[in-house]
């Protein structure tokens, strides 16, 4: 039986390490490709799922979730402030416009109603003919006629 030298054993181990490293390079490339394909599939399925279900955000499949989801709150969104009674905002807006033409932000500052709510209300009121677009902001129809006649413009 031949006696193995430590240097022969070390050489043999180093050779095997090189072989394993070469195999790992091949596996690394395959592993990277696998991860890219899984990611592409996930994005594709998420996009299809959002179009089919009408969802806007991509969710993980149930089998991959690690924590339980809280029950979804289906109650309508509420602000911290209570809603105004029906017609109250309209009344406040029309009252504010009695002082002359105003912009939505001016009316909001005067009434305490949010500017977005004022803007939406003014659009509806203008379509209904209850207010008219002024040079700057909105005015009551009677004011628009008065303002126009003061400046030599025909009444509306």
């Amino acid at each position: 039986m031949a006696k193995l030298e430590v240097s022969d054993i070390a050489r043999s181990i180093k050779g095997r390490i090189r072989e394993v490293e070469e195999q790992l390079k091949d596996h690394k490339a395959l592993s990277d490709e696998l991860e890219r394909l899984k990611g592409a599939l996930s994005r594709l399925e998420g996009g299809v799922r959002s179009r089919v279900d009408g969802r806007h955000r991509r969710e993980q499949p149930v089998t991959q979730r690690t924590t339980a989801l809280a029950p979804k709150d289906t109650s309508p969104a509420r602000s911290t402030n209570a809603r105004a009674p029906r017609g109250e905002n309209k009344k406040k807006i029309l009252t504010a416009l009695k002082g002359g033409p105003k912009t939505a932000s001016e009316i909001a500052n005067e009434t305490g109603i949010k500017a977005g709510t004022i803007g939406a209300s003014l659009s509806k009121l203008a379509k209904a003919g209850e207010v008219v677009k002024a040079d700057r902001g909105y005015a009551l129809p009677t004011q628009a006629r008065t303002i126009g006649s003061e400046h030599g413009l025909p009444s509306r």
Side-chain angles (χ1 to χ4, degrees), residues 36-150:
R36 281 193 296 274
L37 289 171
K38 283 181 178 179
L41 180 60
S42 176
R43 288 187 300 276
L44 178 64
E45 289 176 336
V48 169
R49 212 177 303 121
S50 67
R51 281 192 296 261
V52 171
D53 297 342
R55 290 184 285 196
H56 296 289
R57 67 178 212 272
R58 186 171 53 116
E59 296 181 7
Q60 291 181 335
V62 175
T63 56
Q64 293 181 359
R65 288 192 184 118
T66 56
T67 58
L69 292 177
K72 186 176 180 182
D73 181 13
T74 57
S75 62
R78 299 273 181 197
S79 65
T80 54
N81 302 331
R83 289 180 63 108
R86 190 180 259 326
E88 192 66 28
N89 287 344
K90 175 182 172 180
K91 189 169 94 176
K92 287 180 179 180
I93 291 168
L94 294 174
T95 301
L97 287 174
K98 285 182 181 176
K102 292 186 173 89
T103 64
S105 58
E106 290 171 336
I107 296 170
N109 289 336
E110 189 174 318
T111 62
I113 303 169
K114 292 181 179 179
T117 303
I118 299 286
S121 297
L122 286 170
S123 293
K124 289 177 186 175
L125 291 169
K127 284 182 183 176
E130 296 183 65
V131 298
V132 293
K133 193 84 170 104
D135 290 335
R136 190 176 151 274
Y138 287 85
L140 296 174
T142 54
Q143 293 171 339
R145 280 190 216 104
T146 307
I147 292 168
S149 63
E150 288 173 0

Side-chain angles (χ1 to χ4, degrees), residues 5-24:
E5 296 289 325
V6 173
S7 61
D8 292 333
I9 296 171
R11 229 181 343 268
S12 175
I13 292 174
K14 286 179 184 178
R16 182 65 183 136
I17 288 173
R18 281 191 294 275
E19 288 173 14
V20 170
E21 286 174 340
E22 288 300 315
Q23 290 174 347
L24 284 175

